[in-house]
Amino acid sequence: MEYTFDDIWRLLNPQGEFVRRVNACGKIWNGLALHRKKHIYETIAALKAQGKYVNPNPLFAIKDNDTAEPLNWNGHALEAGRQYVTAKYNGSWGTYTVEDVMDFGLETLKR
């Protein structure tokens, strides 16, 4: 799955006045990194499958479920071809990908 805006919009299936939020939602969605889109989509899909609450306002449904966190690669096997830097997340320093640093606005260690 590509996790396009059409995918999340179909999943959310907004009704009534919330349909007019399409442009605002599209702008937010298209600005997210793929791993965050995947996390949001799969979280909402799981909640719906379990019959649990998902905010009917698609803007809040997306924002409320954007709970992805960057992966600290300390203790993990680093993947070839990726760039890693030392960065701070939640007050602790660790090894993160350059993509996560940019996506989450992490502070990096100056060398």
Side-chain angles (χ1 to χ4, degrees):
M1 172 172 267
E2 295 180 35
Y3 303 100
T4 65
F5 179 68
D6 288 339
D7 294 331
I8 191 67
W9 198 250
R10 275 192 301 276
L11 177 64
L12 292 170
N13 190 25
Q15 302 295 311
E17 69 180 79
F18 297 124
V19 172
R20 63 189 171 100
R21 300 271 161 67
V22 65
N23 291 333
C25 291
K27 185 176 181 180
I28 290 171
W29 188 258
N30 292 327
L32 296 172
L34 179 61
H35 72 276
R36 289 173 75 182
K37 290 177 184 178
K38 179 179 187 288
H39 176 80
I40 294 166
Y41 184 94
E42 291 179 354
T43 299
I44 292 172
L47 289 170
K48 285 184 156 236
Q50 297 168 16
K52 294 188 177 174
Y53 177 78
V54 174
N55 197 314
N57 182 329
L59 193 60
F60 290 120
I62 290 170
K63 288 181 177 182
D64 292 350
N65 291 288
D66 185 11
T67 57
E69 294 185 352
L71 174 62
N72 183 343
W73 285 82
N74 290 351
H76 292 85
L78 301 182
E79 296 174 357
R82 295 188 84 176
Q83 288 185 306
Y84 299 91
V85 295
T86 301
K88 187 187 275 188
Y89 179 70
N90 279 345
S92 297
W93 291 96
T95 303
Y96 297 92
T97 63
V98 170
E99 294 88 357
D100 275 351
V101 166
M102 293 175 63
D103 192 38
F104 290 94
L106 304 181
E107 175 186 351
T108 58
L109 184 64
K110 308 286 189 244
R111 293 183 187 235

mmCIF file of all heavy atoms in Angstrom, residues 16-32:
data_model
loop_
_atom_site.group_PDB
_atom_site.id
_atom_site.type_symbol
_atom_site.label_atom_id
_atom_site.label_comp_id
_atom_site.label_asym_id
_atom_site.label_seq_id
_atom_site.Cartn_x
_atom_site.Cartn_y
_atom_site.Cartn_z
ATOM 1 N N GLY A 16 -21.162 14.633 6.238
ATOM 2 C CA GLY A 16 -21.713 15.946 6.567
ATOM 3 C C GLY A 16 -20.724 17.070 6.378
ATOM 4 O O GLY A 16 -19.997 17.121 5.394
ATOM 5 N N GLU A 17 -20.693 17.954 7.360
ATOM 6 C CA GLU A 17 -19.849 19.146 7.268
ATOM 7 C C GLU A 17 -18.354 18.819 7.211
ATOM 8 O O GLU A 17 -17.563 19.637 6.754
ATOM 9 C CB GLU A 17 -20.115 20.073 8.454
ATOM 10 C CG GLU A 17 -19.616 19.507 9.775
ATOM 11 C CD GLU A 17 -19.870 20.425 10.948
ATOM 12 O OE1 GLU A 17 -21.008 20.440 11.411
ATOM 13 O OE2 GLU A 17 -18.922 21.113 11.377
ATOM 14 N N PHE A 18 -17.968 17.634 7.656
ATOM 15 C CA PHE A 18 -16.548 17.288 7.693
ATOM 16 C C PHE A 18 -15.956 17.031 6.307
ATOM 17 O O PHE A 18 -14.743 17.053 6.143
ATOM 18 C CB PHE A 18 -16.309 16.086 8.600
ATOM 19 C CG PHE A 18 -16.680 16.360 10.031
ATOM 20 C CD1 PHE A 18 -17.598 15.552 10.687
ATOM 21 C CD2 PHE A 18 -16.138 17.430 10.721
ATOM 22 C CE1 PHE A 18 -17.951 15.805 12.003
ATOM 23 C CE2 PHE A 18 -16.480 17.699 12.038
ATOM 24 C CZ PHE A 18 -17.396 16.877 12.677
ATOM 25 N N VAL A 19 -16.794 16.819 5.307
ATOM 26 C CA VAL A 19 -16.317 16.588 3.943
ATOM 27 C C VAL A 19 -15.531 17.800 3.434
ATOM 28 O O VAL A 19 -14.578 17.656 2.679
ATOM 29 C CB VAL A 19 -17.502 16.264 3.000
ATOM 30 C CG1 VAL A 19 -17.066 16.206 1.557
ATOM 31 C CG2 VAL A 19 -18.150 14.956 3.420
ATOM 32 N N ARG A 20 -15.887 18.973 3.912
ATOM 33 C CA ARG A 20 -15.217 20.187 3.430
ATOM 34 C C ARG A 20 -13.797 20.347 3.991
ATOM 35 O O ARG A 20 -13.083 21.275 3.639
ATOM 36 C CB ARG A 20 -16.066 21.421 3.728
ATOM 37 C CG ARG A 20 -16.302 21.686 5.170
ATOM 38 C CD ARG A 20 -17.337 22.818 5.363
ATOM 39 N NE ARG A 20 -17.694 22.917 6.749
ATOM 40 C CZ ARG A 20 -17.197 23.827 7.570
ATOM 41 N NH1 ARG A 20 -16.351 24.714 7.129
ATOM 42 N NH2 ARG A 20 -17.567 23.848 8.827
ATOM 43 N N ARG A 21 -13.360 19.445 4.829
ATOM 44 C CA ARG A 21 -11.999 19.511 5.390
ATOM 45 C C ARG A 21 -10.968 18.867 4.472
ATOM 46 O O ARG A 21 -9.815 18.684 4.841
ATOM 47 C CB ARG A 21 -11.974 18.810 6.754
ATOM 48 C CG ARG A 21 -12.920 19.417 7.775
ATOM 49 C CD ARG A 21 -12.228 20.505 8.538
ATOM 50 N NE ARG A 21 -13.045 21.456 9.235
ATOM 51 C CZ ARG A 21 -13.827 21.273 10.262
ATOM 52 N NH1 ARG A 21 -13.990 20.114 10.737
ATOM 53 N NH2 ARG A 21 -14.464 22.267 10.824
ATOM 54 N N VAL A 22 -11.374 18.499 3.266
ATOM 55 C CA VAL A 22 -10.509 17.756 2.348
ATOM 56 C C VAL A 22 -9.194 18.480 2.062
ATOM 57 O O VAL A 22 -8.132 17.858 2.071
ATOM 58 C CB VAL A 22 -11.257 17.378 1.042
ATOM 59 C CG1 VAL A 22 -11.629 18.606 0.237
ATOM 60 C CG2 VAL A 22 -10.444 16.407 0.215
ATOM 61 N N ASN A 23 -9.215 19.775 1.816
ATOM 62 C CA ASN A 23 -7.979 20.498 1.482
ATOM 63 C C ASN A 23 -7.021 20.582 2.667
ATOM 64 O O ASN A 23 -5.815 20.367 2.514
ATOM 65 C CB ASN A 23 -8.299 21.896 0.951
ATOM 66 C CG ASN A 23 -8.958 21.842 -0.406
ATOM 67 O OD1 ASN A 23 -8.754 20.910 -1.177
ATOM 68 N ND2 ASN A 23 -9.778 22.834 -0.700
ATOM 69 N N ALA A 24 -7.549 20.892 3.837
ATOM 70 C CA ALA A 24 -6.695 20.974 5.034
ATOM 71 C C ALA A 24 -6.080 19.616 5.353
ATOM 72 O O ALA A 24 -4.893 19.516 5.671
ATOM 73 C CB ALA A 24 -7.494 21.486 6.220
ATOM 74 N N CYS A 25 -6.876 18.562 5.235
ATOM 75 C CA CYS A 25 -6.374 17.217 5.511
ATOM 76 C C CYS A 25 -5.329 16.800 4.482
ATOM 77 O O CYS A 25 -4.316 16.198 4.824
ATOM 78 C CB CYS A 25 -7.515 16.208 5.523
ATOM 79 S SG CYS A 25 -8.627 16.417 6.913
ATOM 80 N N GLY A 26 -5.592 17.120 3.231
ATOM 81 C CA GLY A 26 -4.643 16.782 2.171
ATOM 82 C C GLY A 26 -3.302 17.460 2.374
ATOM 83 O O GLY A 26 -2.248 16.850 2.179
ATOM 84 N N LYS A 27 -3.330 18.706 2.795
ATOM 85 C CA LYS A 27 -2.081 19.443 3.035
ATOM 86 C C LYS A 27 -1.280 18.797 4.164
ATOM 87 O O LYS A 27 -0.073 18.609 4.051
ATOM 88 C CB LYS A 27 -2.410 20.895 3.368
ATOM 89 C CG LYS A 27 -1.198 21.773 3.517
ATOM 90 C CD LYS A 27 -1.587 23.215 3.745
ATOM 91 C CE LYS A 27 -0.344 24.070 3.863
ATOM 92 N NZ LYS A 27 -0.660 25.479 4.074
ATOM 93 N N ILE A 28 -1.952 18.445 5.241
ATOM 94 C CA ILE A 28 -1.269 17.790 6.363
ATOM 95 C C ILE A 28 -0.738 16.430 5.934
ATOM 96 O O ILE A 28 0.421 16.096 6.158
ATOM 97 C CB ILE A 28 -2.206 17.651 7.578
ATOM 98 C CG1 ILE A 28 -2.461 19.021 8.191
ATOM 99 C CG2 ILE A 28 -1.617 16.695 8.618
ATOM 100 C CD1 ILE A 28 -3.519 19.026 9.254
ATOM 101 N N TRP A 29 -1.601 15.625 5.316
ATOM 102 C CA TRP A 29 -1.231 14.257 4.930
ATOM 103 C C TRP A 29 -0.039 14.252 3.990
ATOM 104 O O TRP A 29 0.895 13.479 4.170
ATOM 105 C CB TRP A 29 -2.431 13.549 4.296
ATOM 106 C CG TRP A 29 -2.180 12.115 4.054
ATOM 107 C CD1 TRP A 29 -1.867 11.532 2.857
ATOM 108 C CD2 TRP A 29 -2.203 11.069 5.019
ATOM 109 N NE1 TRP A 29 -1.698 10.181 3.027
ATOM 110 C CE2 TRP A 29 -1.899 9.877 4.342
ATOM 111 C CE3 TRP A 29 -2.452 11.025 6.386
ATOM 112 C CZ2 TRP A 29 -1.844 8.650 4.994
ATOM 113 C CZ3 TRP A 29 -2.391 9.809 7.041
ATOM 114 C CH2 TRP A 29 -2.089 8.639 6.345
ATOM 115 N N ASN A 30 -0.073 15.108 2.986
ATOM 116 C CA ASN A 30 0.997 15.109 1.985
ATOM 117 C C ASN A 30 2.310 15.629 2.533
ATOM 118 O O ASN A 30 3.362 15.394 1.940
ATOM 119 C CB ASN A 30 0.553 15.888 0.746
ATOM 120 C CG ASN A 30 -0.549 15.161 0.004
ATOM 121 O OD1 ASN A 30 -0.598 13.933 -0.024
ATOM 122 N ND2 ASN A 30 -1.457 15.913 -0.579
ATOM 123 N N GLY A 31 2.284 16.281 3.692
ATOM 124 C CA GLY A 31 3.506 16.755 4.327
ATOM 125 C C GLY A 31 4.144 15.753 5.281
ATOM 126 O O GLY A 31 5.219 16.001 5.814
ATOM 127 N N LEU A 32 3.490 14.613 5.480
ATOM 128 C CA LEU A 32 4.012 13.606 6.412
ATOM 129 C C LEU A 32 4.953 12.623 5.719
ATOM 130 O O LEU A 32 4.767 12.296 4.542
ATOM 131 C CB LEU A 32 2.852 12.804 7.027
ATOM 132 C CG LEU A 32 1.874 13.568 7.902
ATOM 133 C CD1 LEU A 32 0.697 12.675 8.265
ATOM 134 C CD2 LEU A 32 2.561 14.065 9.163
#
